[in-house]
C-alpha cells in the first residue's frame, strides 16, 4: 500500500445527517509519535500510516488488504447491522476524500481510493474467505479503532444512532508503513455527557479484563528495576478506564470483581479518587458525574523513557493485547524522552495529580520572573535626622538600604518583563506616601537567618465555633480581617489607632476642605472602635484580602481574563510580585501559572498528593512555594519549570506559607497547630537546572529536609490558617481556637 502524505496534517470534518460534509478549522494535536512525545499512532501490529476502507453499499463480503487485529472474543455483527452501517461508513470515506482533495494531498487521496476500490471489487466478486470479516465489518472496524491525535477527547459515535459527530483526520505516515488507522474522532473542550460516555463502547470480552490486567501487571513486575518504576505508572489509568468500560457496558458483576481484585494495588495517593470511582457501579451513575468526565476528557499524562516504552510496545505486540493498547491510544498521553529511565523516588516526587504529570511542552514557555524597576521616590528626612543635623552642625542623610533579594529593585532586572507589558497606573500621592513609609520601615528591618530567627505574634480567634474560614492582614500590619461561615467579615485594628466612620453629609459640609488635616476632620470620633463588622454575603466567606497598593482595571464590571484549565475547584490564588502572572492551586492537585497579558497557562506543576491550599512567591520572584493536604511543602523554580525542593515535617494540611521580606526564611503554618521556619537560602542554593534535568525531569531532591528546618513553634490547640511578615520581619500568625 502506498504511504500517505509525508507531512502531518490535522483537520476536523463535521458529518451532518444529510447534505455535504462541512470542513471545520484545523485543531492542534497532542503531538503523536515517539519523537514528538505523544502517544504513538501505531498499534501492536506495527505500522504508522493512515488508511481508510469502506465496503460497497450492499455490504456483501470483501477481503480488505490492510491487516486489522480484531479481538478474539468480539462477536461478529449481524448482516443487518452491516448493511445499516455501510452507508454511514461510505459517507465518512467520501468526507475524508473530499478533504484530501481540497488540501491537495493527491498521493494520500489516490492511496485511499485504491484501497476503497479494491474492497468494492472484492465485494462485487463475492469471493471473500470464510474466516475473514465482510467488507462492511472491516470498514466498521477500521473506522472505529481510531487513535486520539487531536487535543480533544476521543468520542466514537454510539452504534445505531444517527447523531452527527466530528471526525479529525491525521495524515502522517512513513514509507515503510503497511497498515494503520484513519484518524481520530474529536469533540470540543466541553463535550456532551452522552457523547463522552459513548467512548466506552466495549470491544473485548468482559470476562477477559482481569486476565488482560493481570498479564500486564505480571510483565511489569518481572521487568528490570530500571523499567519497572516507569511502567508501573500505567497501572492506575488502565485500572480506571477498564473499570469504566465494564460499568458503561453494564457488566456490573465483572466490574465489581475487577475493582475488588485490583484497587488495593494502586498507589495510596489515589485512594480518594478510588472511593469516588467505587460509587460508579451502574451506567446511570456515570452521566453527569464530574469525576468521570475528568477522567474521560483529559488524557492521563505519563512521562516514560524511550527504552521503557519500547519494552512495553514489544510486549503488547507479542501478546496481541489490543484491549490494553486501545486504552493507551485513546486515553493516555505518553511523553517519551531520550535518556536514562527515572528512579522510583524521582517519579513519586512528580506524580499524584488527577491527570498525571504535566507535559514537558507545558513548561517550556518563557516566563519573565524578574521584578519591575521601581519609580524614583525621594525620601524626606525623619525628625531624628533633623535633630542630628542641629546637634552636630552637619547634615545627616539616611538612605534606606534595600536587600538584594528583598523587594523590588531600582535596577532593571534582565529577567523582568518590559515595563509596559501590562498597563499599570501612575502612583497616586497616597501610594507614594505608603511607599515612603515602607522604605523607612525597611531601614529598621531585622536581617533574618539561621542564627537570627524572627519573633512570632499569634492572634487567636476565640468563640469562633469552627466558623473562621479566611484571614488576611494589611501590608502595613495595622488591620486584620476574618471571614466567617455566618457570612460576615470582621475587621480589627491591631494598633492603638481605632477604626472610625466618616461623618454624616450635614457635618461634612461644615469642614474646611483646604485644611491640612482634612482627612482627620472627616472622621467621626464617636464611632471609633477596635472592631467593625461588614455585612453583605449570603454564604460562608472563603476568602478575604485587603487591596494592594496598586489597583488597576477596576472600572470594568466583567472579567478581564478567565483562566480555564483546572479539573477541580481552585482553592488559592496569588499574584506574582511583578503583577504579570497569577498562580492558582487546585483540588486537582496541580499548581498553574497564568499569564495576565493573554490568559495562557505557562507553567503546570505536579507533585502534590492532595488538594493545594497555600501559595507564596519568593520576594525576588524566581521561586514558588506550595502547600497541600499531604503535609508537604514543595519548592519550584519558575524560570526552568522544575521542582527544586521538598520540605517534610507537617502532619496535616499546610494552610499558609510566607517568605520573609528579605527572602531568607520561609514560614509554614498547618492544621497540625504548628508554625515551622525553614532556611530558604540553603534550600535554593546549588540548584541543578541543566538542560538535561529540565528536559527529562531527573530531579534530585535532598534526602533529609530536616536540615533546612530552623524551628518549630506549637500552639496549644489552634490550627494556623494565616501567616504574615511585617515590614520589620516580625511574624504574625492567626487561627481559631479549636477545643479538643
Amino acid at each position: 500500500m502506498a504511504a500517505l502524505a509525508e507531512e502531518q496534517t490535522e483537520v476536523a470534518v463535521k458529518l451532518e445527517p444529510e447534505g455535504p460534509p462541512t470542513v471545520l478549522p484545523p485543531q492542534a494535536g497532542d503531538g503523536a509519535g515517539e519523537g514528538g512525545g505523544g502517544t504513538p499512532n501505531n498499534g501492536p501490529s506495527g505500522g504508522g500510516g493512515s488508511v481508510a476502507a469502506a465496503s460497497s453499499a450492499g455490504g456483501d463480503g470483501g477481503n480488505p488488504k490492510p491487516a486489522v487485529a480484531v479481538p478474539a472474543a468480539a462477536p461478529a455483527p449481524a448482516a443487518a447491522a452491516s448493511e445499516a452501517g455501510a452507508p454511514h461508513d461510505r459517507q465518512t470515506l467520501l468526507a475524508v476524500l473530499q478533504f484530501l482533495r481540497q488540501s491537495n494531498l493527491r498521493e494520500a487521496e489516490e492511496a485511499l481510493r485504491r484501497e476503497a476500490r479494491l474492497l468494492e471489487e472484492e465485494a462485487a466478486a463475492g469471493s471473500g474467505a470464510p474466516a475473514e470479516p465482510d467488507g462492511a465489518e472491516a470498514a466498521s472496524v477500521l473506522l472505529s479503532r481510531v487513535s486520539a491525535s487531536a487535543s480533544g477527547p476521543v468520542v466514537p459515535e454510539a452504534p445505531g444512532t444517527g447523531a452527527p459527530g466530528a471526525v479529525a483526520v491525521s495524515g502522517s505516515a512513513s514509507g515503510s508503513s503497511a497498515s494503520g488507522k484513519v484518524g481520530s474522532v474529536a469533540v470540543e473542550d466541553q463535550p456532551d455527557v452522552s457523547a463522552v460516555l459513548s467512548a466506552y463502547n466495549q470491544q473485548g470480552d468482559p470476562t477477559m479484563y482481569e486476565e488482560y490486567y493481570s498479564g500486564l501487571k505480571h510483565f511489569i513486575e518481572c521487568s528490570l528495576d530500571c523499567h519497572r518504576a516507569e511502567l508501573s505508572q500505567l497501572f492506575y489509568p488502565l485500572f480506571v478506564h477498564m473499570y469504566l468500560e465494564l460499568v458503561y457496558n453494564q457488566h456490573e458483576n465483572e466490574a465489581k470483581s475487577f475493582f475488588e481484585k485490583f484497587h488495593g494495588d494502586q498507589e495510596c495517593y489515589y485512594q480518594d479518587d478510588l472511593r469516588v470511582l467505587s460509587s460508579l457501579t451502574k451506567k446511570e451513575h456515570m452521566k453527569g458525574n464530574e469525576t468521570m468526565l475528568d477522567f474521560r476528557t483529559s488524557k492521563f499524562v505519563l512521562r516514560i523513557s524511550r527504552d521503557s516504552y519500547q519494552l512495553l510496545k514489544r510486549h503488547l505486540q507479542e501478546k496481541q493485547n489490543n484491549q490494553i493498547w486501545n486504552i493507551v491510544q485513546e486515553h493516555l498521553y505518553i511523553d517519551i524522552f531520550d535518556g536514562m529511565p527515572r528512579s522510583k523516588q524521582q517519579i513519586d516526587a512528580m506524580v499524584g495529580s488527577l491527570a498525571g504529570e504535566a507535559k514537558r511542552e507545558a513548561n517550556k514557555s518563557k516566563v519573565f520572573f524578574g521584578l519591575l524597576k521601581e519609580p524614583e521616590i525621594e525620601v524626606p528626612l525623619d525628625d531624628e535626622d533633623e535633630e542630628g543635623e542641629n546637634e552636630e552642625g552637619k547634615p545627616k542623610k539616611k538612605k534606606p538600604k534595600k536587600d538584594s533579594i528583598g523587594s523590588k529593585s531600582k535596577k532593571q532586572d534582565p529577567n523582568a518583563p518590559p515595563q509596559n507589558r501590562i498597563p499599570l497606573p501612575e502612583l497616586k500621592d497616597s501610594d507614594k506616601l505608603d511607599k515612603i513609609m515602607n522604605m523607612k520601615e525597611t531601614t529598621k528591618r531585622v536581617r533574618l537567618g539561621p542564627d537570627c530567627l524572627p519573633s512570632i505574634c499569634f492572634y487567636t480567634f476565640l468563640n469562633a465555633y469552627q466558623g473562621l474560614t479566611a484571614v488576611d492582614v494589611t501590608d502595613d500590619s495595622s488591620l486584620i480581617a476574618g471571614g466567617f461561615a455566618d457570612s460576615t467579615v470582621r475587621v480589627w485594628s491591631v494598633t492603638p489607632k481605632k477604626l472610625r466612620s466618616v461623618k454624616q453629609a450635614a457635618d461634612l459640609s461644615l469642614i474646611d476642605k483646604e485644611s491640612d488635616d482634612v482627612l482627620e476632620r472627616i472622621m467621626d470620633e464617636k464611632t471609633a472602635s477596635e472592631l467593625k463588622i461588614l455585612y453583605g454575603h449570603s454564604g460562608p466567606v472563603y476568602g478575604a484580602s485587603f487591596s494592594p497598593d496598586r489597583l488597576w482595571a477596576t472600572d470594568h464590571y466583567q472579567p478581564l481574563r478567565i483562566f480555564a484549565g483546572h479539573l477541580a475547584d481552585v482553592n488559592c490564588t496569588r499574584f506574582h510580585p511583578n503583577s504579570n502572572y497569577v498562580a492558582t492551586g487546585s483540588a486537582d492537585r496541580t499548581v498553574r501559572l497564568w499569564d495576565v497579558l493573554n490568559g495562557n497557562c505557562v507553567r503546570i506543576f505536579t507533585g502534590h498528593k492532595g488538594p493545594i491550599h497555600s501559595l507564596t512567591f519568593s520576594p525576588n520572584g524566581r521561586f514558588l512555594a506550595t502547600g497541600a493536604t499531604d503535609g508537604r511543602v514543595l519548592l519550584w523554580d519558575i524560570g526552568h519549570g522544575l521542582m527544586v525542593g521538598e520540605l517534610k515535617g507537617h502532619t496535616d494540611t499546610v494552610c499558609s506559607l510566607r517568605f520573609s521580606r528579605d527572602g531568607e526564611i520561609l514560614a509554614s503554618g498547618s492544621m497540625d497547630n504548628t508554625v515551622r521556619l525553614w532556611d530558604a537560602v540553603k534550600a535554593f542554593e546549588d540548584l541543578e537546572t541543566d538542560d538535561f534535568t529540565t528536559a527529562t525531569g531527573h530531579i534530585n531532591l535532598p534526602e533529609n529536609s530536616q536540615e533546612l528546618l530552623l524551628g518549630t513553634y506549637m500552639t496549644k490547640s489552634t490550627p494556623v490558617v494565616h501567616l504574615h511578615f511585617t515590614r520589620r520581619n516580625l511574624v504574625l500568625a492567626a487561627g481559631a481556637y479549636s477545643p479538643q
Side-chain angles (χ1 to χ4, degrees), residues 402-423:
K402 306 188 81 174
D403 299 308
S404 58
I405 61 173
S407 56
K408 299 182 181 179
S409 173
K410 290 186 177 181
K411 295 182 180 180
Q412 185 63 38
D413 190 330
N415 296 307
Q419 198 75 16
N420 59 349
R421 187 172 185 266
I422 59 174

Side-chain angles (χ1 to χ4, degrees), residues 10-15 24 27-29 146-157 164-169 183-189 191 195 296:
E10 298 198 7
V11 76
V13 182
K14 186 175 182 181
L15 300 181
L24 301 179
Q27 299 182 6
V146 294
S147 63
S149 63
S151 59
V154 180
V155 185
E157 185 178 356
V167 180
V169 181
S184 61
V185 181
V187 297
E188 311 218 343
D189 290 339
R296 182 60 198 89

Side-chain angles (χ1 to χ4, degrees), residues 374-512:
E374 279 285 14
E376 296 290 338
I377 300 177
E378 294 183 2
V379 182
L381 295 175
D382 288 338
D383 295 337
E384 298 176 0
D385 299 332
E386 295 175 359
E387 291 175 3
E389 180 180 353
N390 294 333
E391 291 175 2
E392 299 180 10
K394 295 181 181 180
K396 276 188 177 181
K397 291 186 178 180
K398 281 191 176 181
K399 293 185 179 180
K401 296 180 180 179
K402 306 188 81 174
D403 299 308
S404 58
I405 61 173
S407 56
K408 299 182 181 179
S409 173
K410 290 186 177 181
K411 295 182 180 180
Q412 185 63 38
D413 190 330
N415 296 307
Q419 198 75 16
N420 59 349
R421 187 172 185 266
I422 59 174
L424 291 172
E426 295 183 1
L427 290 178
K428 299 178 182 179
D429 290 341
S430 58
D431 297 329
K432 293 179 180 179
L433 289 175
D434 185 67
K435 286 190 174 296
I436 290 173
M437 292 299 297
N438 189 0
M439 285 188 274
K440 289 182 178 180
E441 292 285 333
T442 302
T443 63
K444 303 172 184 178
R445 177 185 301 165
V446 177
R447 183 68 183 232
L448 301 179
D451 299 327
C452 183
L453 299 181
S455 300
I456 302 177
C457 176
F458 200 98
Y459 292 92
T460 301
F461 290 77
L462 300 176
N463 303 322
Y465 305 109
Q466 298 182 347
L468 181 68
T469 51
V471 178
D472 194 31
V473 179
T474 55
D475 186 69
D476 63 0
S477 309
S478 62
L479 302 175
I480 184 170
F484 292 85
D486 62 0
S487 306
T488 63
V489 176
R490 298 167 187 255
V491 182
W492 286 267
S493 173
V494 293
T495 65
K497 189 175 181 179
K498 295 186 177 181
L499 303 175
R500 298 167 294 174
S501 302
V502 179
K503 292 181 179 179
Q504 299 295 327
D507 297 329
L508 290 175
S509 62
L510 304 176
I511 296 177
D512 181 8

Side-chain angles (χ1 to χ4, degrees), residues 61-70 76 119 122 127-138:
N63 250 345
K65 284 285 183 181
V68 180
V70 182
L119 286 174
E122 291 180 352
S127 59
E132 295 290 330
D134 62 8
E137 181 183 346

Side-chain angles (χ1 to χ4, degrees), residues 202 205-207 209-210 242-261 277-286:
Q202 182 186 351
D205 184 355
T207 61
Y209 275 50
E210 291 188 10
M242 293 178 78
Y243 174 76
L244 290 177
E245 275 192 7
L246 290 171
V247 172
Y248 177 77
N249 291 283
Q250 300 180 345
H251 302 296
E252 298 173 9
N253 293 332
E254 289 84 354
K256 182 179 179 181
S257 174
F258 182 83
F259 188 91
E260 291 178 350
K261 185 173 182 179
L277 196 66
S278 65
S279 65
L280 304 176
T281 57
K282 297 182 181 295
K283 182 178 179 180
E284 293 76 15
H285 298 166
M286 300 174 69

